[in-house]
Amino acid sequence: MFWGEPDASVHFCEDKYVKNDYVAEYYNTISALCYILVGMFYYKTKLKKIGMSIIFLGIGTGILHCTLRYYGQILDEGAMLVLSFNIINKIRDRQNLQELSNIYLYFLVVFYLIFHTKFYIFFSMFSSLQIYTYYLIKIRVNKDNSKSDIYISSYINIFLFSLFCWILDQLFCEYVKHLYLHAIWHIGTSISLFVGLVPFLIN
């Protein structure tokens, strides 16, 4: 094992070091490039801050799946929390709600770092942020039936499909290993991010 004994607290279905001696999970690592591509696109728009967060996510995800080490997991999961926070802030700003103070992000990250070895803690935090994001999106949809609704619906549906793939990969590895469903999670969520952020550019 080129990067040493895996010590991330979360495990994935893909076989290790099969395609490349330097990459623990080849398809999970390569698919992380999708985030970087989406991030580079949005980095060149008025959503520069979110674009940077997505690029950081792609790098963190790639390092995690390439090495399966704890530092890659911290980069990956930390980036997911920061990106979720930045998206929530953007949605709240568009709905004339007071933006969340960055102090909340500081406590969010510190709390995660303290308990980063407990995957269920991260999963609970990330899930809560996604539920809150969905709640804010529903408020927007109910108030404003605009052209952006198709993008919002696509974002939600693609994300849920991707989440379903992630769950199958975690729970039924023996039966779905050949499908590389975690890589599909990466591809699907990068597409959902790309589509879901379009309304911030057209309105």
Side-chain angles (χ1 to χ4, degrees):
M1 297 181 183
F2 182 79
W3 300 102
E5 192 68 27
D7 53 6
S9 64
V10 60
H11 306 285
F12 307 95
C13 195
E14 185 177 350
D15 289 330
K16 318 308 178 197
Y17 292 101
V18 173
K19 292 285 185 178
N20 191 291
D21 292 336
Y22 306 102
V23 179
E25 295 177 346
Y26 183 81
Y27 292 108
N28 286 348
T29 302
I30 295 300
S31 58
L33 292 173
C34 295
Y35 295 123
I36 296 176
L37 293 175
V38 172
M40 289 174 62
F41 173 85
Y42 280 105
Y43 181 79
K44 298 177 181 178
T45 71
K46 59 185 178 181
L47 301 179
K48 182 175 181 177
K49 186 175 183 180
I50 290 178
M52 288 178 61
S53 298
I54 300 173
I55 292 172
F56 183 49
L57 171 61
I59 294 171
T61 299
I63 292 174
L64 168 60
H65 291 287
C66 181
T67 68
L68 299 180
R69 299 302 306 273
Y70 74 93
Y71 49 80
Q73 182 178 2
I74 290 173
L75 289 173
D76 175 57
E77 295 175 351
M80 292 171 72
L81 296 177
V82 171
L83 174 60
S84 299
F85 179 87
N86 287 336
I87 290 175
I88 287 171
N89 249 353
K90 193 66 180 178
I91 297 173
R92 287 174 62 90
D93 182 53
R94 282 286 299 279
Q95 295 177 185
N96 297 318
L97 299 172
Q98 183 179 3
E99 285 192 18
L100 292 173
S101 169
N102 284 334
I103 196 169
Y104 288 110
L105 178 59
Y106 171 79
F107 283 114
L108 185 74
V109 172
V110 169
F111 184 82
Y112 164 71
L113 289 174
I114 293 173
F115 297 101
H116 74 273
T117 58
K118 310 293 185 183
F119 179 72
Y120 67 88
I121 295 289
F122 161 76
F123 186 78
S124 299
M125 294 170 67
F126 180 70
S127 298
S128 298
L129 290 173
Q130 299 315 302
I131 292 170
Y132 185 51
T133 300
Y134 178 76
Y135 168 75
L136 291 174
I137 289 174
K138 292 300 290 184
I139 292 177
R140 172 179 167 76
V141 170
N142 291 336
K143 287 185 177 180
D144 180 19
N145 294 317
S146 64
K147 294 179 181 179
S148 64
D149 287 355
I150 183 64
Y151 296 103
I152 294 172
S153 297
S154 298
Y155 162 78
I156 293 172
N157 291 331
I158 296 172
F159 181 85
L160 290 177
F161 170 77
S162 303
L163 179 62
F164 180 68
C165 291
W166 185 91
I167 293 172
L168 286 179
D169 184 80
Q170 286 289 310
L171 299 182
F172 302 101
C173 178
E174 179 182 353
Y175 306 102
V176 301
K177 180 181 293 189
H178 63 288
L179 298 176
Y180 302 106
L181 293 180
H182 195 80
I184 294 176
W185 154 262
H186 292 161
I187 296 169
T189 49
S190 64
I191 294 172
S192 70
L193 280 170
F194 181 83
V195 173
L197 293 171
V198 168
F200 296 116
L201 298 181
I202 63 178
N203 293 330

